[in-house]
Amino acid sequence: VNLSDLAAMGATPRWATLSIALPEADDAWLTAFARGFFRMADQHGIELVGGDTTRGALTISITVIGEVPPGQALRRDGAQAGDDVWVSGVLGSAALALAYRQGRLFMEQVAAARVLPALYLPTPRVALGSALRGVASSAIDISDGLLADLGHILQRSNVGAALEFAALPTLPVAQAYLHEKVAMDCVLAGGDDYELCFTATPDKRDAVRSAAETAGVAVTRIGRITAESGLTVINADGQPLPIEHTGHDHFAA
């Protein structure tokens, strides 16, 4: 798993393995890669304990191993009807940056400069995941898109959800683009945010905010879990938004 997966389980990262294939030795590239890798590892107290290096098409495979106290892991199957749905940080920034880079969305350069770091330097919410142990009823990281990843919680927990689009947290610079469909899709179904989406009972709202404060991360309540299956997103007029896709499909053609 990666750091964001461990964060979503409330786990503490401990060790990592690194396997890398390179078409040729490139000292400058390797120096820059190692600097970034060990900066992140040192930040989270991770020891590199094994792996492999070989010649081939550029391929990087990193596995991070962690631990969590018995019975305290955050899971995907614990959401209950009536629970609040929360997210950390802001949504859609990485997908907006990718849409900008691919020419699918025009953005002013000053706005693009604010969202591009989310694409290149995502932040795993490890501290928040640990702080949510015993508070959240379920959790997942947002790697494939909010709707897709929340959908995994709903499927495993046999529940549904109703979200408010206006409640979804985005960077202020993104607000000017949300009238465009591609930008709305970035917020709802864009991947690579690596924020946490989690649920908790309403009586845990103060505990959720306390956990977020401890971790130094903003959290936002964006909806609720319903007994009825399905996922609905309500616009400012109280009408459901049409949802054409929910996020990245790893096995799509």
Side-chain angles (χ1 to χ4, degrees), residues 38-203:
F38 285 108
R39 181 187 299 122
M40 181 66 72
D42 291 344
Q43 180 180 342
H44 295 283
I46 297 170
E47 294 289 339
L48 180 63
V49 295
D52 193 19
T53 305
T54 188
R55 181 186 296 274
L58 179 61
T59 306
I60 303 170
S61 177
I62 300 171
T63 300
V64 185
I65 305 158
E67 57 186 0
V68 64
Q72 295 187 34
L74 302 179
R75 298 164 56 101
R76 299 180 182 183
D77 58 1
Q80 305 258 346
D83 282 0
D84 294 325
V85 181
W86 298 80
V87 293
S88 65
V90 294
L91 302 177
S93 296
L96 286 166
L98 182 60
Y100 167 77
R101 289 298 307 270
Q102 294 177 334
R104 295 184 291 113
L105 177 67
F106 170 79
M107 299 184 75
E108 298 288 347
Q109 287 189 351
V110 65
R114 294 295 305 277
V115 297
L116 283 168
L119 180 63
Y120 297 126
L121 296 169
T123 302
R125 303 302 189 183
V126 174
L128 178 61
S130 296
L132 287 172
R133 293 198 302 245
V135 176
S137 53
S138 68
I140 194 170
D141 71 315
I142 304 174
S143 55
D144 296 332
L146 170 65
L147 300 186
D149 290 314
L150 175 57
H152 296 314
I153 287 179
L154 304 184
Q155 182 180 34
R156 292 292 301 274
S157 300
N158 295 311
V159 292
L163 308 182
E164 298 177 22
F165 185 80
L168 303 183
T170 60
L171 286 176
V173 296
Q175 295 293 320
Y177 302 92
L178 293 185
H179 64 283
E180 298 189 40
K181 184 179 182 303
V182 64
M184 291 183 62
D185 285 345
C186 286
V187 174
L188 289 170
D192 296 331
D193 282 321
Y194 300 106
E195 298 293 349
L196 296 188
C197 176
F198 58 96
T199 62
T201 55
D203 64 341

Side-chain angles (χ1 to χ4, degrees), residues 224-237:
R224 62 184 177 85
I225 296 296
T226 63
E228 303 80 18
S229 62
L231 177 53
T232 304
V233 182
I234 305 299
N235 65 18
D237 297 323

Side-chain angles (χ1 to χ4, degrees), residues 1-18 37 46 61-67 76 124 126 141 194:
V1 297
N2 59 40
L3 272 176
S4 190
D5 291 323
L6 291 178
M9 292 183 280
T12 301
R14 297 296 189 195
W15 312 277
T17 61
L18 166 64
F37 177 90
I46 297 170
S61 177
I62 300 171
T63 300
V64 185
I65 305 158
E67 57 186 0
R76 299 180 182 183
V126 174
D141 71 315
Y194 300 106

